[in-house]
Amino acid sequence: MSNGSVDNVELVNDAPRNGSAPGPRRRATAESMAAQQREISVSEFFMKNRHLLGFDNPRKALLTTVKEAVDNSLDACEEAGILPEVWVHIEMVGENRFKVGVQDNGPGIVKKQIPSIFGKLLYGSKFHRLRMSRGQQGIGISAAGMYGLITTGKPVKIISKTSIRKPAHYFEIQIDPKKNKPEILNGKGEGVDIPPNEEGRKYIADHGIEWVEHYETPEGQKPEPLASGTRVTIELEAIYKRGRGSVDEYLEQTAIANPHVTLHYLDPDGEYRTYQRSSQNMPPEPKEIKPHPYGVELGRLVAMLKDADGATLSQFFTGSFSRVSPAVARKICETANLSVRTSAKKVGRGEADALYKAIQETKISAPTTDCISPIGEENLLKGLYNVVPGEFFCSATRPPAVYRGNPFQVEVALAYGGVSNVKKVTLEALREMLAESDARTLRQFIISSFDGLGADAADRILKAAEMPNRMSPAKLKKGAVEQLYHAMQHVNLSEGATMQVLRYANRVPLQFQPAACAITQAIMQTNWRSYGLSQSRGSLPNGPLTVMVHLASVWVPFTSESKEAIADYPEIAKELRLGLQTVGRKLGMFLRRRLKVKQEVERRAIFMRYLGEVAGAVSALNGSDRDKVYADLLRVAERKTKEADAKFDKHGRRVETPEEFGGNVLIVTHESPLPAGGAVAS
Amino acid sequence: MAKKKSANSSSDSNRAKADPAKLSPQDKKTLGSLTGLADGVVDLAHKSRAPHMDVPSRSLSNARYNKTKRYIEMGNNTTRRELFNLSQAKSYMQTLLVSSGCKQLIEEGKTTSIRGLYYLLKHTIDGTKEETFNDQAESDPIIEDVEVLLNALREELHVYASNRGTMVGNIIINDSGDEIDCSRMGSGGYNIPSIVEPEVVQFVKCSAKFILHVEKDTVWRRFNEDKFWRKHNCILTHGGGQPPRGVRRLLHRLHNELGLPIYCVLDNDPWGYYIYSVIKQGSINLAFESKRMAIPEAKYLGLRSIDFERCNLSNSVQIRLNDNDRKRAKQIANYPWFKDKPKWQKEIKKLLDNDFKLEVEALINKGISFVTETYVPERLEEQDWLD
Ligand SMILES: Nc1ncnc2c1ncn2[C@@H]1O[C@H](COP(=O)(O)OP(=O)(O)O)[C@@H](O)[C@H]1O
Ligand SMILES: [Mg+2]
């Protein structure tokens, strides 16, 4: 996908190109070729490019569909200033066939827009503007609808409601695969309005669609109705499998990075869970900015020049870019040997080239950075705490910085301790996961199914279960599954666990291609040993910890079109490094202190053990009062080990105050899980 | 906290019941040092300071060879032992336990072996699963610590080591009031007690002209059976390998009080050299006792590394040196008292060149009584020994 500023990409209506080139010998005539030239259908284009669009395989297709819909919902809610609440329902409707329904409490969509949004490939509002949004990630909800249509023949179903009193609009839409145009199937091509009453409810039930009418409220309270919102239902061929790269993972990670969101998830197995929002604060609305000259590639510059109807170069530069004053515009033009009064539209290819070079040579002040809306240190803590178990949490939001004229901001949060997913899984779930797994060996199954588990941990589990590594997961007998389950519950994993890394770009989890990503590289290059973790050179550190890294930017530099890994710009790498070091230092402090307290507690215990004997012997030797000697010695012992006293909780663990760590730290004690954000100091 | 419970430990009450014995002036002096040790603890604890003791160190670095006295002396280095130090807390406690155990022995007028003291003090620490002493190897060095700490001899603490060592010969002694004629001890000999101080053992009459000390029981039996000591008018002793304190102290007294020269017949290996070195110069571990035990004039009669050729022994009696032997031999060659002695250097070099060791028993190769009838008499005759 190019960054071109074109409103509507109408693939089908492109005039067929004339492919004949002059050559020494004509092998074909224009006429003979014309016979072969035909419209490329959208569906053909789609299927050819599905790997770029996130539909490489049936499992990923399910994820991409959910992701497109949820990202749209969150973007719409935030833009409208509504605290987002999203319902994700996935239902299995046949073999390898799923119905995905995603509903939000957003502003809804006006009736006449609905068909284009869901029935036209590459039709969106976020593609062309420079503003931090999730939408940049995907290729649009209509692609998911297209995939559904191709694989099941079923249309996309949309219900959207913009106000509490008004009726909801209901559309069944499919893309005309020849023309890239929406085709409305219901209401004689007009859609249907569903009134907000009993009749409407009956209509919904009769048409195999759903609509969540009320928020979940505690029992006894009056249910609060949803004033507005949108629900998209897509039926598609897919495979549902938990573990890495799954829908479950995406939703969980989304909940972590978006603590202002409430997510309800009904999975295909009928399991229902809710990630309750832990923050009532909407992220500040990101401002839209004009591009900075440094961030504009040559092709984009050419396109922008073409669009600048009637403007002079001076007007073009000052009007289309941020941070370009008339003086800066003149400087650019002078360097490019062009007059500021040249009409922008008339700039030729060579001149554009000169302008592009001139921009790079001209000193232009950095763009404003208020267009970025970070998650914020406090919300990072809340989000992570809400979802990831741990004893110690800390976070750091770096100040905004700029790469190639694009403002960006790095955020890092860390959770230490807690129980691995391996321990949380139920025997039932394990059985299912084994049945679903296409891993060739048990070892591979364990590593790929559970985050934060390295090969070492997998080996230890298998050893404890007394099972060979190479055994195929599908062949496990019933008793063997129990044996494996038992081993998973009981093996001490905290030593063998590797750091779990959660990567985000603009609050959207990046679930694939970790090795290619600048975030992973920055983590591996950080020396975690100096923070008390073990780490072999050039790999992730070991230990029961999760690190989340968020890159927020108006334009996230992905390594490829599939948008799964962040490119390694030096400015970004530096910010990543600094952010990781900040949380690393805090973790190091925590671990050192914990170790110290633990040692002091042990030290005291050892001293105490011998005090009675010493007092007894002394008393026997010189006839002094044994109890007095004991009391005196006890006093000295306590003074000598006073570190150990620093506020013990019931379990002999020290209760620390976050202030000691310079803020943005959350320490959880066993018996009193703090209410989210309860001990946050910022 | 096990505070209340341990307030009246059972050993406390036992102690109270025991009859106080008549104390010798030496006992009173020792008791004084023991009380002083405890007073220091009470004093520091009362001032809220961490108690500690400075134990003279019995390590190699604190042992010096005194060239004029010709024995190993202990230096002035001490090692601090603190109650509130993780690695020292337990040995601190053990040191006080041993001290209180010794006090009990002195007050009751009893003595016990180092093994007995171990059992006297061994119990489970209140409220824990930990033993005061896990095995005797833990209590033995602590006893030595208390000796140097209080500058008191083991006997003065009423503790003795196991007796290992036997004597026969032309001498009559008095041991705790019993007169013993060591020329009439049959095949077993007189068992040398571990305490041989003049209060316990007195020399009544001696016609022997020298002492032949052999390494171990088996060799000693050969000499006794062959009545070597009668033929050569001497005293015959062994110390069961490394001679215990009682044997060394007795040899020292016989040598110094009766002017008897001492000749040693030991295996030709680094261990044999070492035994000789201890008899002659004292040991590093008991450097503080050298004055009362070392016999710088003791002579090394054999076996020698030249004996394989000299006595024309068969190959089958050779025992290969191992790495440890080779290492020890080199160490011993570097001892200050061997360093400047060309004969010793030659002896040890030859051993290393041979790359085998010889036990005294190897001489049996030349005849059962070769050692008593030929080997030793010839060496004595030729005054062929190492010094
Ligand atoms: N759930 C929704 N609520 C409100 N508006 C929506 C919703 N989903 C999509 N839209 C609108 O439709 C547009 C097109 O969405 P999409 O095809 O996913 O592209 P993109 O998200 O990249 O803009 C969005 O930009 C948004 O304006
Ligand atoms: Mg979208």
Side-chain angles (χ1 to χ4, degrees):
Chain A
M1 242 107 300
S2 86
N3 299 348
S5 151
V6 196
D7 241 346
N8 239 326
V9 186
E10 304 234 328
L11 283 161
V12 170
N13 298 344
D14 268 357
R17 283 154 303 163
N18 190 325
S20 58
R25 190 146 61 91
R26 285 179 80 123
R27 297 185 191 175
T29 62
E31 287 71 26
S32 71
M33 288 177 68
Q36 289 169 28
Q37 288 158 353
R38 57 189 164 83
E39 288 180 349
I40 306 160
S41 82
V42 210
S43 49
E44 247 180 287
F45 170 82
F46 181 90
M47 289 319 270
K48 277 216 173 91
N49 292 287
R50 57 207 254 164
H51 57 286
L52 296 182
L53 309 176
F55 295 90
D56 336 17
N57 59 59
R59 183 174 185 234
K60 207 163 164 195
L62 188 67
L63 172 68
T64 303
T65 302
V66 171
K67 208 168 152 169
E68 286 297 337
V70 171
D71 286 352
N72 279 351
S73 289
L74 297 181
D75 274 340
C77 290
E78 282 165 19
E79 213 169 315
I82 300 168
L83 274 175
E85 187 140 348
V86 178
W87 290 260
V88 177
H89 295 180
I90 306 179
E91 197 186 320
M92 193 161 176
V93 290
E95 199 186 343
N96 290 345
R97 201 179 257 225
F98 294 85
K99 191 165 95 178
V100 173
V102 175
Q103 184 178 337
D104 60 55
N105 63 341
I109 309 170
V110 295
K111 186 169 180 177
K112 84 171 196 339
Q113 284 295 330
I114 295 175
S116 299
I117 290 172
F118 297 95
K120 203 166 174 166
L121 222 50
L122 303 173
Y123 183 97
S125 57
K126 298 159 216 159
F127 200 67
H128 320 295
R129 56 183 190 184
L130 222 41
R131 176 177 184 240
M132 186 185 144
S133 67
R134 296 181 175 80
Q136 189 206 328
Q137 308 289 321
I139 36 81
I141 188 68
S142 50
M146 175 97 215
Y147 181 83
L149 181 68
I150 293 171
T151 54
T152 69
K154 294 272 162 100
V156 185
K157 297 175 179 175
I158 302 106
I159 303 180
S160 192
K161 191 174 159 72
T162 53
S163 146
I164 185 125
R165 269 166 296 276
K166 286 191 192 150
H169 313 299
Y170 173 54
F171 284 94
E172 291 180 8
I173 301 172
Q174 66 180 42
I175 298 184
D176 177 339
K178 287 249 160 62
K179 302 204 183 89
N180 187 22
K181 285 251 165 70
E183 225 178 296
I184 300 162
L185 305 181
N186 64 338
K188 302 194 186 81
E190 295 287 323
V192 171
D193 279 358
I194 305 175
N197 55 23
E198 251 338 292
E199 194 191 323
R201 253 165 243 138
K202 187 168 175 311
Y203 184 90
I204 287 172
D206 290 348
H207 283 75
I209 45 179
E210 291 112 37
W211 178 256
V212 178
E213 265 186 285
H214 295 103
Y215 291 102
E216 276 175 23
T217 37
E219 212 156 320
Q221 268 179 40
K222 202 168 149 249
E224 190 197 331
L226 255 70
S228 61
T230 305
R231 184 180 185 108
V232 188
T233 307
I234 295 172
E235 209 171 304
L236 72 160
E237 214 173 88
I239 287 175
Y240 171 73
K241 198 164 73 191
R242 289 173 232 254
R244 259 179 226 169
S246 66
V247 173
D248 299 45
E249 181 190 68
Y250 161 75
L251 292 175
E252 176 169 303
Q253 294 190 8
T254 299
I256 292 172
N258 299 274
H260 62 293
V261 172
T262 293
L263 264 177
H264 306 276
Y265 175 36
L266 179 68
D267 73 19
D269 299 330
E271 203 187 307
Y272 183 75
R273 79 204 82 149
T274 293
Y275 297 98
Q276 199 68 47
R277 75 172 56 85
S278 52
S279 165
Q280 301 296 324
N281 304 324
M282 290 285 287
E285 193 179 354
K287 293 199 185 81
E288 197 170 335
I289 58 158
K290 290 176 198 153
H292 190 275
Y294 287 165
V296 176
E297 275 132 32
L298 180 57
R300 178 110 181 271
L301 182 65
V302 172
M304 286 172 80
L305 284 162
K306 271 218 181 72
D307 279 355
D309 23 35
T312 64
L313 273 186
S314 177
Q315 286 163 337
F316 167 73
F317 275 115
T318 52
S320 314
F321 292 95
S322 68
R323 298 300 194 182
V324 180
S325 62
V328 172
R330 183 171 321 117
K331 189 92 202 295
I332 296 172
C333 292
E334 272 167 18
T335 313
N337 259 330
L338 287 166
S339 159
V340 287
R341 277 186 293 277
T342 313
S343 162
K345 233 179 156 144
K346 297 212 174 97
V347 168
R349 184 65 204 219
E351 289 162 329
D353 214 25
L355 280 173
Y356 179 77
K357 287 207 186 88
I359 288 172
Q360 315 309 317
E361 285 163 29
T362 308
K363 199 167 159 22
I364 308 167
S365 47
T368 50
T369 49
D370 56 1
C371 48
I372 300 172
S373 151
I375 300 171
E377 293 175 337
E378 191 176 330
N379 278 343
L380 282 166
L381 282 185
K382 286 180 179 171
L384 205 54
Y385 170 78
N386 229 12
V387 182
V388 178
E391 300 159 48
F392 175 83
F393 299 81
C394 65
S395 63
T397 295
R398 294 283 311 155
V402 175
Y403 81 92
R404 294 214 44 186
N406 294 308
F408 74 97
Q409 198 162 5
V410 165
E411 299 185 279
V412 185
L414 175 152
Y416 180 86
V419 199
S420 157
N421 270 336
V422 171
K423 309 256 176 194
K424 289 195 288 188
V425 78
T426 61
L427 180 58
E428 257 331 290
L430 177 65
R431 207 166 264 145
E432 270 165 41
M433 289 169 78
L434 281 163
E436 289 161 2
S437 174
D438 49 17
R440 278 188 299 113
T441 64
L442 263 186
R443 185 171 186 267
Q444 198 190 336
F445 164 76
I446 295 172
I447 297 170
S448 63
S449 303
F450 300 100
D451 281 318
L453 274 199
D456 181 47
D459 286 344
R460 270 188 292 152
I461 290 174
L462 289 173
K463 192 157 171 251
E466 295 173 349
M467 287 177 185
N469 285 346
R470 300 187 177 285
M471 194 164 205
S472 157
K475 294 210 178 91
L476 278 195
K477 298 251 160 54
K478 194 156 175 265
V481 175
E482 270 157 39
Q483 212 171 313
L484 180 65
Y485 175 74
H486 194 78
M488 281 164 52
Q489 298 299 304
H490 291 95
V491 169
N492 174 14
L493 294 170
S494 43
E495 299 149 36
T498 47
M499 175 193 275
Q500 189 184 342
V501 179
L502 309 179
R503 299 174 293 130
Y504 295 89
N506 288 351
R507 295 164 186 259
V508 177
L510 305 176
Q511 294 171 271
F512 301 95
Q513 295 194 14
C517 186
I519 291 176
T520 316
Q521 283 153 17
I523 292 173
M524 288 176 169
Q525 280 156 19
T526 301
N527 179 8
W528 295 92
R529 268 163 302 185
S530 61
Y531 309 130
L533 298 176
S534 70
Q535 176 188 27
S536 26
R537 192 169 292 284
S539 52
L540 292 174
N542 301 316
L545 78 161
T546 301
V547 162
M548 71 169 284
V549 180
H550 178 218
L551 181 88
S553 178
V554 292
W555 192 256
V556 177
F558 289 108
T559 54
S560 71
E561 292 297 343
S562 54
K563 296 179 175 165
E564 284 160 351
I566 293 168
D568 193 13
Y569 281 92
E571 295 88 349
I572 293 178
K574 179 182 164 205
E575 285 300 316
L576 287 171
R577 193 177 68 237
L578 293 173
L580 288 166
Q581 283 170 353
T582 307
V583 294
R585 269 194 299 273
K586 291 183 182 185
L587 174 67
M589 239 159 96
F590 172 75
L591 291 178
R592 267 195 305 281
R593 254 178 238 193
R594 208 174 60 157
L595 186 68
K596 175 86 185 149
V597 171
K598 200 169 145 238
Q599 283 170 346
E600 287 293 279
V601 170
E602 278 166 15
R603 242 160 71 92
R604 177 176 290 180
I606 288 172
F607 296 156
M608 303 289 246
R609 209 182 300 161
Y610 301 139
L611 288 191
E613 293 291 335
V614 169
V618 166
S619 157
L621 279 168
N622 68 356
S624 52
D625 177 7
R626 188 201 167 279
D627 287 354
K628 167 142 179 24
V629 176
Y630 184 87
D632 284 346
L633 288 174
L634 187 65
R635 220 174 30 248
V636 186
E638 279 165 357
R639 187 169 54 78
K640 279 271 170 184
T641 56
K642 68 172 177 297
E643 266 282 325
D645 274 332
K647 289 185 226 148
F648 280 121
D649 63 20
K650 272 213 298 267
H651 300 266
R653 301 198 318 180
R654 188 172 163 185
V655 181
E656 274 140 305
T657 41
E659 287 78 12
E660 293 176 63
F661 294 88
N664 293 310
V665 159
L666 184 77
I667 292 153
V668 184
T669 51
H670 254 334
E671 76 277 20
S672 63
L674 298 160
V680 178
S682 29
Chain B
M1 225 68 356
K3 189 174 159 186
K4 276 271 142 16
K5 252 178 89 190
S6 58
N8 284 309
S9 80
S10 56
S11 54
D12 275 349
S13 39
N14 285 350
R15 214 163 295 170
K17 272 182 248 149
D19 291 332
K22 231 179 131 249
L23 300 176
S24 73
Q26 176 59 54
D27 286 341
K28 281 181 186 150
K29 187 172 157 264
T30 312
L31 281 179
S33 331
L34 287 165
T35 312
L37 182 66
D39 289 348
V41 181
V42 173
D43 198 38
L44 282 173
H46 182 67
K47 290 184 199 143
S48 282
R49 305 235 315 265
H52 61 81
M53 45 191 140
D54 293 319
V55 185
S57 53
R58 296 180 289 108
S59 64
L60 177 63
S61 61
N62 197 33
R64 275 196 295 275
Y65 178 60
N66 184 322
K67 274 202 168 131
T68 32
K69 293 183 189 153
R70 294 197 294 158
Y71 56 69
I72 301 171
E73 276 184 328
M74 189 156 69
N76 298 321
N77 296 351
T78 56
T79 313
R80 179 153 290 200
R81 184 168 294 170
E82 296 172 305
L83 172 56
F84 297 117
N85 176 313
L86 269 199
S87 57
Q88 298 164 7
K90 186 163 192 185
S91 52
Y92 182 94
M93 171 213 64
Q94 290 172 327
T95 311
L96 283 170
L97 277 185
V98 166
S99 304
S100 74
C102 292
K103 178 182 162 164
Q104 189 186 347
L105 289 171
I106 295 169
E107 280 184 341
E108 294 176 14
K110 297 193 173 141
T111 58
T112 185
S113 66
I114 51 178
R115 185 153 192 82
L117 189 65
Y118 161 67
Y119 279 117
L120 179 69
L121 300 174
K122 181 181 169 71
H123 61 260
T124 309
I125 299 171
D126 250 347
T128 73
K129 289 193 178 110
E130 191 176 339
E131 293 291 297
T132 49
F133 296 93
N134 287 320
D135 51 35
Q136 200 189 330
E138 262 184 45
S139 64
D140 285 358
I142 298 282
I143 295 170
E144 284 171 4
D145 285 343
V146 172
E147 289 175 56
V148 293
L149 183 65
L150 302 179
N151 196 16
L153 301 173
R154 183 169 290 188
E155 308 78 64
E156 295 168 3
L157 294 169
H158 287 220
V159 181
Y160 54 83
S162 59
N163 358 343
R164 224 173 41 221
T166 315
M167 171 166 84
V168 283
N170 290 325
I171 184 169
I172 297 167
I173 58 163
N174 187 308
D175 179 346
S176 312
D178 298 335
E179 200 156 282
I180 293 163
D181 184 346
C182 292
S183 62
R184 304 163 66 89
M185 297 305 295
S187 62
Y190 166 66
N191 215 341
I192 303 171
S194 63
I195 299 179
V196 294
E197 293 309 302
E199 301 93 81
V200 181
V201 175
Q202 299 95 37
F203 305 138
V204 177
K205 184 165 175 269
C206 175
S207 62
K209 293 289 176 258
F210 67 94
I211 302 163
L212 187 76
H213 179 79
V214 300
E215 183 165 333
K216 53 199 167 222
D217 179 57
T218 48
V219 180
W220 183 90
R221 275 175 205 281
R222 176 85 267 119
F223 279 89
N224 190 28
E225 202 176 294
D226 293 350
K227 291 290 172 268
F228 176 91
W229 51 271
R230 187 162 287 155
K231 243 176 265 168
H232 295 271
N233 189 21
C234 69
I235 294 171
L236 179 66
T237 57
H238 82 81
Q242 163 86 285
R245 288 191 204 203
V247 173
R248 285 176 60 199
R249 177 68 178 142
L250 185 68
L251 290 177
H252 184 270
R253 284 190 61 206
L254 289 170
H255 175 75
N256 285 298
E257 292 170 29
L258 305 178
L260 302 178
I262 293 177
Y263 305 100
C264 303
V265 178
L266 309 162
D267 289 344
N268 185 245
D269 60 17
W271 180 236
Y273 297 157
Y274 181 72
I275 291 172
Y276 171 67
S277 167
V278 167
I279 290 172
K280 190 176 172 76
Q281 258 78 40
S283 73
I284 290 157
N285 203 27
L286 297 179
F288 58 100
E289 298 254 56
S290 291
K291 173 166 90 239
R292 308 186 319 124
M293 293 190 181
I295 308 161
E297 290 81 22
K299 310 284 189 254
Y300 183 88
L301 212 63
L303 270 51
R304 301 276 301 275
S305 41
I306 47 170
D307 283 341
F308 180 74
E309 286 96 6
R310 183 164 64 178
C311 303
N312 201 8
L313 301 174
S314 97
N315 280 340
S316 59
V317 300
Q318 298 177 355
I319 303 169
R320 223 52 19 237
L321 293 186
N322 58 32
D323 284 348
N324 204 28
D325 290 331
R326 284 186 276 268
K327 208 175 92 201
R328 289 282 289 144
K330 282 173 196 152
Q331 268 173 12
I332 289 167
N334 267 323
Y335 283 172
W337 48 95
F338 286 146
K339 221 173 148 91
D340 303 328
K341 292 186 177 159
K343 277 181 157 182
W344 265 110
Q345 292 302 318
K346 228 171 113 185
E347 165 67 28
I348 297 169
K349 185 176 180 303
K350 172 78 171 134
L351 174 86
L352 287 167
D353 290 346
N354 285 349
D355 205 34
F356 59 76
K357 46 191 176 185
L358 295 171
E359 288 187 305
V360 178
E361 288 91 327
L363 297 178
I364 211 160
N365 195 240
K366 302 297 289 179
I368 292 173
S369 293
F370 176 77
V371 66
T372 61
E373 285 165 8
T374 314
Y375 185 86
V376 171
E378 269 181 20
R379 298 287 90 73
L380 289 169
E381 180 67 25
E382 292 162 16
Q383 303 205 351
D384 173 19
W385 54 63
L386 291 176
D387 187 15

